[in-house]
Amino acid sequence: PHNVKGLEGVHQHPPVNSAVMLLLVPYLEDWAIPFIQRSPVGKYHGGQIALPGGKAEPEDMNILGTALRECHEEIGVKPEDITIMGRLSDVYIPLSNFNITPFVGTIPKMPNFVLSKREVEEVIIIPLNELFDDKNKTSHLLYRHDQQIVAPGYKIGDHFIWGATAMMIAELETLFKNEY
């Protein structure tokens, strides 16, 4: 594997383990995923569209426990209501030195979302058929640390989903298309 110039040696510490939940909720004869609009105060990802999740804490039994706890804390869905279907590939974020493990879970009915006021501005429900529709796949020019990057992602309404979250959706789509 080739080294990406300028990224090696940036972080002095091993990656921070974290987890997110791609929660499939029934929605208008389809499945949908609740995304969160992060509060603008976050250190790295403030204001972005993300999945409920966060970093592992010592009290978590394992990385799945992290995903379940964060889903409960951020959007109020109880761990016992979620059936875990599996996990996707880990995604490493060089900028924040996070290693994210995404889990896929389902819940039998649309939950009453209770938002963490500190972390979450709103929940955005996006049906899978919109996420998987080619017309919503696009890319944006973004600037990170004075460098221009082309970020592939999903444009849905006023929302642009990119980065690690977009990678997870793409993997989920591949799995769905192979299954169904």
Side-chain angles (χ1 to χ4, degrees):
H2 60 283
N3 254 343
V4 179
K5 275 281 166 263
L7 286 181
E8 61 275 6
V10 171
H11 298 288
Q12 309 303 313
H13 306 288
V16 177
N17 286 322
S18 61
V20 297
M21 182 66 69
L22 289 92
L23 187 64
L24 298 172
V25 298
Y27 180 78
L28 305 175
E29 311 293 306
D30 188 16
W31 291 99
I33 295 177
F35 291 86
I36 59 174
Q37 169 99 41
R38 290 209 173 279
S39 299
V41 294
K43 182 174 174 190
Y44 291 112
H45 304 293
Q48 287 184 13
I49 306 286
L51 292 157
K55 66 175 195 259
E57 299 293 349
E59 70 267 20
D60 297 335
M61 287 270 296
N62 50 31
I63 201 70
L64 171 58
T66 300
L68 290 166
R69 176 183 54 75
E70 287 281 350
C71 196
H72 189 217
E73 285 175 9
E74 292 189 339
I75 62 171
V77 177
K78 295 191 191 74
E80 58 269 25
D81 293 342
I82 300 174
T83 302
I84 298 299
M85 297 175 69
R87 61 188 274 183
L88 302 176
S89 306
D90 285 14
V91 178
Y92 175 68
I93 314 281
L95 172 67
S96 52
N97 195 30
F98 270 52
N99 187 68
I100 307 172
T101 303
F103 289 92
V104 179
T106 62
I107 188 164
K109 62 185 193 353
M110 182 67 78
N112 262 332
F113 295 109
V114 181
L115 309 190
S116 157
K117 294 278 180 283
R118 201 168 52 83
E119 297 178 275
V120 180
E121 210 151 275
E122 65 171 323
V123 167
I124 301 154
I125 307 285
I126 304 179
L128 290 188
N129 60 20
E130 281 192 41
L131 282 171
F132 297 168
D133 188 331
D134 286 341
K135 77 174 171 16
N136 294 324
K137 295 172 190 170
T138 180
S139 56
H140 276 208
L141 274 180
L142 300 166
Y143 291 88
R144 306 294 282 182
H145 309 290
D146 301 327
Q147 289 189 318
Q148 191 174 325
I149 54 171
V150 178
Y154 299 84
K155 176 96 172 84
I156 296 176
D158 297 335
H159 304 294
F160 182 60
I161 298 168
W162 64 286
T165 306
M167 290 161 69
M168 294 167 197
I169 296 165
E171 184 177 354
L172 185 69
E173 179 177 11
T174 304
L175 292 172
F176 261 79
K177 294 214 159 134
N178 292 341
E179 282 297 310
Y180 300 102

